């Protein structure tokens, strides 16, 4: 029989190794040191059979940017069950226990990036953000009505990057639902750290700071993968993240990336769906954009989550929410300038996972209903709910955790 519980401090490493076995990986000493600052026994759940760990999951401690604010969020990660124990209920038990633990900690949301997208809908997670893959051919890039190069790009080392980048990121995050908080450990050990075994044949990390009129206007973190063919360079820039605070800064930051010597391509898995770049270049096809799922979101406490976000219209709708896993969530909620439970008739009804897809503004209720993911019970309710939940920009999560 499989038992699910929080591991003790001495059990943490063996439990994490079970998850690594599920992914066919092993942990380097540097990985263990990094994770010790982010994974704790009380924020972990392990599955055991006869005292042996057969599965593991954990929850990083985040604040997730939501419309009008930020909420404590369980960043679900490290989820895995060893191959010999698949299809025996361990994943379901760990997932439900993790959600209940998050509720006890006062985290109204849980979020994750799915290794397999087909898994998490059955646990109430909904697709909340989209992400774009970019594989751009640098020699095909030209800018529309190009004023010519502006500003200065400097390569900065770790300490200066840590001084410059976090405040800039926080300014961007404050305006963008879906982005995660980053504490000192996260910046130092995750975003800026340069572990050699994680380079995958590419260079060290480079940190580029863009300045316009003497002020930081954007930054990029990237590696370069060296490649040659018949005596000609065909290297690629592997971009981890790039942020800019204006259209001009976007143009100049990408101008720099497209012009790095001995490279012919720029690639990233986290291109922003709202970036102005596709409208700034002459040939959008040269960007070779492909869409994929991004952040998956779970409303752990519907009432708290709905109360915490802002709404874009002066209106009210009653939403009926179904949730088969967490018994405190099902019910009807009056949503608008005031959020509360109600016994009034519902204007629309949907599953907890589909409400999560709408929560950050990523998908309208009309789009959900068009995919049979919502039921309109009062004429016009879908449009009214969509107006309430609308955001100026689509949500965006620029990193996997």
């Amino acid at each position: 029989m499989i038992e699910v519980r929080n591991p003790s401090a001495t059990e943490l490493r063996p439990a994490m190794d079970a998850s690594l076995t599920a992914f066919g990986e092993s942990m380097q000493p540097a990985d263990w040191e990094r994770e010790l600052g982010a994974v704790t026994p009380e924020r972990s759940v392990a599955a055991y059979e006869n005292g042996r760990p057969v599965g593991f999951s954990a929850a990083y401690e985040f604040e997730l940017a939501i419309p009008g604010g930020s909420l404590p969020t369980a960043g679900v990660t490290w989820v895995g069950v060893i191959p010999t124990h698949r299809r025996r209920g361990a994943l379901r038990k760990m997932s439900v226990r993790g959600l209940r633990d998050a509720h006890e900690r006062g985290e109204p949301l849980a979020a994750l990036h799915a290794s397999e997208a087909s898994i998490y809908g059955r646990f109430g997670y909904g697709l909340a953000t989209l992400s774009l893959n970019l594989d751009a051919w640098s020699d095909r890039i030209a800018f529309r009505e190009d004023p010519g190069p502006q500003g200065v790009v400097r390569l900065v080392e770790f300490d200066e990057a840590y001084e410059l980048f976090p405040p800039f990121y926080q300014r961007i995050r404050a305006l963008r639902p879906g982005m995660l908080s980053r504490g000192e450990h996260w910046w130092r050990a995750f975003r800026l750290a340069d572990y050699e075994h994680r380079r995958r044949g590419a260079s060290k990390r480079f940190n580029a700071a863009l300045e316009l009129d003497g002020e930081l206007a954007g930054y990029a973190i990237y590696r370069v993968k060296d490649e040659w063919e018949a005596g000609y360079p065909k290297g690629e820039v592997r971009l981890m993240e790039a942020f800019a605070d204006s259209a001009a800064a976007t143009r100049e930051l990408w101008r720099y990336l497209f012009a790095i010597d001995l490279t012919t391509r720029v690639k990233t898995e986290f291109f922003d769906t709202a970036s102005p770049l596709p409208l700034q270049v002459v040939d959008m096809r040269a960007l070779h954009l492909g869409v994929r799922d991004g952040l998956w979101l779970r409303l752990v406490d519907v009432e708290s989550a709905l109360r915490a976000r802002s709404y874009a219209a002066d209106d009210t709708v009653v939403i009926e929410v179904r949730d088969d896993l967490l018994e405190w969530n099902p019910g009807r909620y009056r949503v608008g300038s005031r959020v509360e439970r109600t016994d009034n008739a519902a204007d629309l009804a949907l599953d907890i996972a589909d409400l999560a897809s709408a929560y950050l503004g990523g998908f309208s209720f009309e789009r959900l209903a068009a995919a049979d993911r919502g039921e309109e019970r009062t004429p016009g309710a879908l449009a009214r709910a969509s107006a309430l939940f609308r955001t100026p920009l689509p949500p965006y999560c620029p990193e996997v955790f």
Side-chain angles (χ1 to χ4, degrees):
M1 182 177 178
I2 293 177
E3 173 197 10
V4 168
R5 59 176 172 81
N6 302 113
S8 67
T10 57
E11 292 174 320
L12 183 60
R13 175 64 187 269
M16 294 175 76
D17 284 338
S19 179
L20 290 169
T21 298
F23 284 91
E25 298 179 357
S26 59
M27 188 185 300
Q28 300 293 324
D31 295 324
W32 175 237
E33 291 299 321
R34 179 192 66 189
E35 293 298 332
L36 275 178
V39 175
T40 61
E42 60 271 16
R43 297 186 65 88
S44 303
V45 177
Y48 293 90
E49 184 179 61
N50 299 323
R52 176 193 174 204
V54 297
F56 180 76
S57 69
Y60 294 140
E61 187 174 0
F62 289 129
E63 289 272 336
L64 182 71
I66 64 172
S70 186
L71 267 183
T73 298
V76 179
T77 186
W78 280 88
V79 182
V81 177
I82 65 174
T84 55
H85 285 68
R86 296 172 66 247
R87 305 289 189 268
R88 293 176 57 181
L91 177 59
R92 183 178 182 84
K93 288 181 178 180
M94 290 194 304
S95 296
V96 174
R97 172 62 182 268
L99 292 172
R100 291 184 176 276
D101 285 354
H103 186 253
E104 290 183 5
R105 292 192 298 264
E107 295 168 328
L109 302 174
L112 56 80
H113 284 270
S115 56
E116 295 184 63
S118 61
I119 293 176
Y120 292 97
R122 65 178 183 264
F123 303 132
Y125 288 85
L127 178 60
T129 78
L130 296 176
S131 187
L132 295 179
N133 299 322
L134 176 144
D135 185 358
W137 295 353
S138 301
D139 62 351
R140 297 291 301 271
I141 300 298
F143 292 98
R144 299 169 59 184
E145 301 177 2
D146 190 355
Q150 300 175 349
V152 174
V153 176
R154 296 189 300 115
L155 291 177
V156 299
E157 297 300 323
F158 183 100
D159 288 343
E160 189 173 3
Y162 179 71
E163 179 184 349
L164 293 175
F165 294 176
F168 189 88
Y169 172 88
Q170 184 58 27
R171 283 201 289 120
I172 301 293
R173 177 181 171 269
L175 303 173
R176 202 65 187 276
M179 293 180 66
L180 302 165
S181 60
R182 295 176 179 174
E184 180 178 357
H185 179 74
W186 195 265
W187 273 105
R188 291 185 176 277
F190 287 82
R191 298 313 293 168
L192 294 175
D194 188 18
Y195 304 104
E196 188 168 354
H197 66 279
R198 291 183 172 271
R199 294 178 181 177
R200 302 185 186 276
S203 71
K204 70 174 186 177
R205 287 192 177 188
F206 294 100
N207 307 308
L210 167 69
E211 295 175 353
L212 294 178
D213 299 322
E215 299 291 335
L216 183 68
Y219 74 83
I221 303 173
Y222 65 92
R223 303 184 192 276
V224 175
K225 176 64 173 68
D226 185 47
E227 196 74 44
W228 293 78
E229 184 176 300
Y232 290 93
K234 294 187 63 177
E236 64 183 38
V237 177
R238 296 181 177 176
L239 182 64
M240 268 115 260
E241 67 181 37
F243 292 104
D245 63 6
S246 68
T250 298
R251 182 186 63 240
E252 297 310 315
L253 189 61
W254 284 91
R255 186 196 302 277
Y256 167 79
L257 294 168
F258 289 135
I260 292 174
D261 286 341
L262 307 182
T263 67
T264 59
R265 301 164 80 176
V266 178
K267 300 178 70 172
T268 182
E269 295 181 355
F270 301 104
F271 187 72
D272 185 359
T273 58
S275 171
L277 184 66
L279 296 176
Q280 291 179 309
V281 298
V282 173
D283 181 6
M284 177 182 166
R285 295 181 191 177
L287 299 178
H288 291 91
L289 298 174
V291 66
R292 56 166 291 171
D293 60 304
L295 190 73
W296 291 74
L297 189 67
R298 214 299 180 179
L299 275 62
V300 177
D301 186 326
V302 171
E303 188 169 1
S304 295
L306 291 175
R307 282 181 174 173
R309 65 154 289 167
S310 62
Y311 296 95
D314 185 16
D315 196 1
T316 299
V317 295
V318 175
I319 302 175
E320 183 175 307
V321 180
R322 298 183 293 268
D323 188 344
D324 295 332
L325 288 185
L326 304 181
E327 66 275 6
W328 54 83
N329 277 333
R332 298 172 189 163
Y333 298 85
R334 180 182 290 109
V335 180
S337 57
R338 183 178 63 180
V339 174
E340 60 186 1
R341 285 183 177 268
T342 180
D343 293 327
N344 290 357
D347 296 309
L348 59 95
L350 73 174
D351 186 77
I352 187 75
D354 302 309
L355 180 59
S357 292
Y359 180 75
L360 296 179
F363 296 89
S364 72
F365 289 89
E366 293 150 307
R367 286 186 66 187
L368 290 168
D372 288 332
R373 304 306 307 171
E375 175 190 356
E376 184 177 60
R377 295 183 178 174
T378 301
L382 291 170
R384 290 166 51 212
S386 295
L388 276 170
F389 282 72
R390 185 171 295 123
T391 56
L393 293 173
Y396 174 52
C397 185
E399 61 189 313
V400 167
F401 53 86

